Amino acid sequence: MSGTPKRHIKDRIYDTYLARIQRGEISHTDRLVDTAIAAELNVSRMPVRDALMRLTHEGYLTSTTRGFMLPNMQPEQILEIFELRRLLEPRAAALATANLTQADLDALEGAVNEAEKTLETGDVESLHTASEVIRRTWIMAVPNVELRDTILRYMSQIQAVRFATLSDAHSSQVLIELQRQMLNAFSNRNAAHVELVLLRYVLAGEESYRRINGLLDW
């Protein structure tokens, strides 16, 4: 990385850490320290800090006196973002339906199969990974770039909800069943059905989050 022109280093660092956040590889207990990352990558501190500040500006991270961390979202914030998700994601998924390639559909099928296996194994980490593959596969097929980027920006909310719901057996079973329905709708290129299933999926996630956190009075 040290041989990369300086004007590109911060962009590469940004892309690397954005991908790590979106894949769930960074947890709420991790602290990202610019000097440590710079030493690890053998680059100066400034491009690392620029990349982390950009991620902070976009809502992926928050700055603390001891480094950068995932935002510690309050339940009120999470519920507000659920409202955005209900408005944006069903339509976005419908738009993505025609753009999904056969490779995308194969990736979705593989991820849904892996998710279903966890109903017997109880492997929450594998379910988390499979759910992220499903989500990113259809999101990256959304043709409206601004819509796609807006959805990607509330990844911290997605992570917070997953940590709360995927360990719950009832919640995970409901969500996995909806993932299978989502795959079938995408495979049939039925945009209207995709839109309906995505709305049900977001609503199910919200209901699970509210139930687990004692917030069902809505």
Side-chain angles (χ1 to χ4, degrees), residues 89-102 104-105 108 137-144 147 181-198:
E89 292 191 15
R91 180 56 182 163
L95 292 174
T97 304
N99 276 12
L100 290 167
T101 65
Q102 187 57 51
D104 291 331
L105 293 174
L108 286 170
T137 299
W138 73 257
I139 288 176
M140 297 313 293
V142 175
N144 184 319
L147 178 57
Q181 292 179 31
M182 190 189 312
L183 170 62
N184 291 339
F186 277 133
S187 298
N188 292 329
R189 306 290 183 179
N190 189 333
H193 192 202
V194 167
E195 191 163 357
L196 178 60
V197 173
L198 255 293

Side-chain angles (χ1 to χ4, degrees), residues 88-129:
L88 298 179
E89 292 191 15
R91 180 56 182 163
L95 292 174
T97 304
N99 276 12
L100 290 167
T101 65
Q102 187 57 51
D104 291 331
L105 293 174
D106 291 343
L108 286 170
E109 183 171 11
V112 171
N113 289 340
E114 288 301 312
E116 289 176 339
K117 290 178 184 177
T118 68
L119 291 172
E120 294 185 3
T121 65
D123 187 344
V124 176
E125 184 176 347
S126 293
L127 178 54
H128 186 290
T129 300

Side-chain angles (χ1 to χ4, degrees), residues 50-214:
D50 287 345
L52 295 178
M53 288 300 296
R54 179 179 170 188
L55 289 167
T56 300
H57 177 72
E58 294 177 356
Y60 292 105
L61 296 174
T62 185
S63 178
T64 74
T65 56
R66 297 172 57 194
F68 295 82
M69 300 182 68
L70 295 180
N72 184 18
M73 301 188 74
Q74 298 302 309
E76 294 81 6
Q77 293 173 283
I78 289 175
L79 294 178
E80 286 178 353
I81 295 176
F82 264 121
E83 185 172 5
L84 284 177
R85 292 181 61 190
R86 293 198 304 269
L87 293 169
L88 298 179
E89 292 191 15
R91 180 56 182 163
L95 292 174
T97 304
N99 276 12
L100 290 167
T101 65
Q102 187 57 51
D104 291 331
L105 293 174
D106 291 343
L108 286 170
E109 183 171 11
V112 171
N113 289 340
E114 288 301 312
E116 289 176 339
K117 290 178 184 177
T118 68
L119 291 172
E120 294 185 3
T121 65
D123 187 344
V124 176
E125 184 176 347
S126 293
L127 178 54
H128 186 290
T129 300
S131 297
E132 177 57 18
V133 171
I134 293 166
R135 180 174 176 78
R136 281 195 59 80
T137 299
W138 73 257
I139 288 176
M140 297 313 293
V142 175
N144 184 319
V145 175
E146 291 298 324
L147 178 57
R148 182 180 68 213
D149 289 348
T150 298
I151 292 172
L152 286 171
R153 282 193 191 102
Y154 48 74
M155 193 62 208
S156 57
Q157 190 260 15
I158 302 297
Q159 300 290 7
V161 170
R162 282 182 183 157
F163 290 140
T165 60
L166 294 187
S167 298
D168 179 78
H170 173 73
S171 299
S172 59
Q173 181 171 357
V174 171
L175 294 171
I176 291 169
E177 288 174 356
L178 287 167
Q179 287 172 345
R180 172 60 67 179
Q181 292 179 31
M182 190 189 312
L183 170 62
N184 291 339
F186 277 133
S187 298
N188 292 329
R189 306 290 183 179
N190 189 333
H193 192 202
V194 167
E195 191 163 357
L196 178 60
V197 173
L198 255 293
L199 178 58
R200 289 173 176 168
Y201 188 82
V202 175
L203 287 170
E206 182 173 1
E207 188 278 335
S208 295
Y209 180 82
R210 286 179 178 271
R211 176 174 54 81
I212 291 167
N213 290 278

